[in-house]
Amino acid sequence: MKKKGVDKLKIEGKKIGFVFTGSFCTFKKTIPQLKELIEKGADILPIMSFNSYQMDTKFGKAAEYIEEIEHITQKEIIHTIQGAEPIGPKGLTDIILIEPCSGNTIAKLANSIINTPATMATKSHLRNEKPVVIAISTNDGLSGSAMNIGTLLNRRHYYFIPFRQDNPITKPRSLVFDPEYLIPTTELALDGDQIQPILL
């Protein structure tokens, strides 16, 4: 694995937009990553897509996740398009992490569809030519979403946390990121480098 730069804590003091999208099954392992970034000195701006902010699922109630995230970050979550639009013009982020990044959000970013707080935050941030880190989590990563993933892999300023098949036996087309690589991926992305290998 490419380790260049990870011995220095490049995320300390960085303004990180942390975007939640609707892959609800990964929230339980995503929130500890949010805590770790703060513990390591990052300044976190929490952002949620419409679905992640509003929907209750078998994995938890939206209001409980909102309360937990706002308690951890001590900031109000950006959850509207209007709230996300100033991120770029005001220089509110050095890097954006979309964790988890659903197949729906990947499709919208690949095709420049900006109709959620998550995609607006990303578009606004990218106007400043700064990095976006994708933590892929989608059941159709090796089918319907494969083309969109390929598009973002070949687009400037997008970087991927290494990922693998979620469960090759029962969900053979599903892909999920490995949270262990969040910080090294982020630090390398701040230097304009993609961590390797991408596929685990």
Side-chain angles (χ1 to χ4, degrees):
M1 174 174 296
K2 187 175 183 180
K3 290 286 188 179
K4 174 187 166 186
V6 297
D7 56 328
K8 297 185 291 183
L9 199 57
K10 294 185 181 296
I11 61 171
E12 186 174 0
K14 294 298 183 183
K15 298 178 291 184
I16 299 178
F18 200 108
V19 183
F20 289 80
T21 70
S23 180
F24 302 98
C25 61
T26 61
F27 278 20
K28 294 292 186 184
K29 66 180 179 182
T30 295
I31 290 175
Q33 300 291 302
L34 184 66
K35 292 179 181 177
E36 184 176 1
L37 287 168
I38 292 172
E39 289 168 358
K40 293 184 181 300
D43 179 14
I44 300 293
L45 180 66
I47 304 156
M48 296 183 87
S49 67
F50 288 134
N51 287 344
S52 61
Y53 192 82
Q54 297 170 357
M55 291 179 64
D56 296 335
T57 72
K58 64 182 180 180
F59 301 105
K61 294 189 178 297
E64 293 174 358
Y65 283 124
I66 291 165
E67 182 180 7
E68 184 176 9
I69 292 164
E70 291 187 339
H71 175 73
I72 293 167
T73 62
Q74 293 296 297
K75 291 181 182 175
E76 185 176 348
I77 294 167
I78 292 175
H79 60 94
T80 66
I81 290 174
Q82 299 95 316
E85 192 279 332
I87 286 173
K90 292 186 176 180
L92 299 182
T93 48
D94 296 312
I95 189 168
I96 275 188
L97 310 182
I98 309 178
E99 183 185 352
C101 189
S102 65
N104 185 43
T105 296
I106 287 169
K108 290 178 178 182
L109 292 173
N111 292 281
S112 297
I113 298 170
I114 310 302
N115 61 357
T116 76
T119 54
M120 175 54 79
T122 306
K123 176 186 177 182
S124 184
H125 166 82
L126 281 168
R127 68 182 282 170
N128 296 324
E129 303 285 320
K130 293 183 177 179
V132 175
V133 171
I134 300 290
I136 189 169
S137 180
T138 178
N139 286 331
D140 68 346
L142 294 178
S143 57
S145 286
M147 180 174 66
N148 297 319
I149 293 167
T151 295
L152 293 186
L153 282 167
N154 284 283
R155 191 169 289 175
R156 289 179 64 214
H157 307 306
Y158 282 94
Y159 303 88
F160 279 72
I161 295 175
F163 55 86
R164 59 169 58 88
Q165 284 180 278
D166 185 4
N167 187 328
I169 305 303
T170 62
K171 296 193 296 181
R173 294 174 180 83
S174 183
L175 295 176
V176 67
F177 70 98
D178 188 328
E180 174 186 350
Y181 298 102
L182 168 66
I183 287 176
T185 302
T186 301
E187 295 197 322
L188 283 170
L190 285 163
D191 276 344
D193 291 327
Q194 169 64 58
I195 198 168
Q196 296 292 344
I198 300 174
L199 299 177
L200 298 175

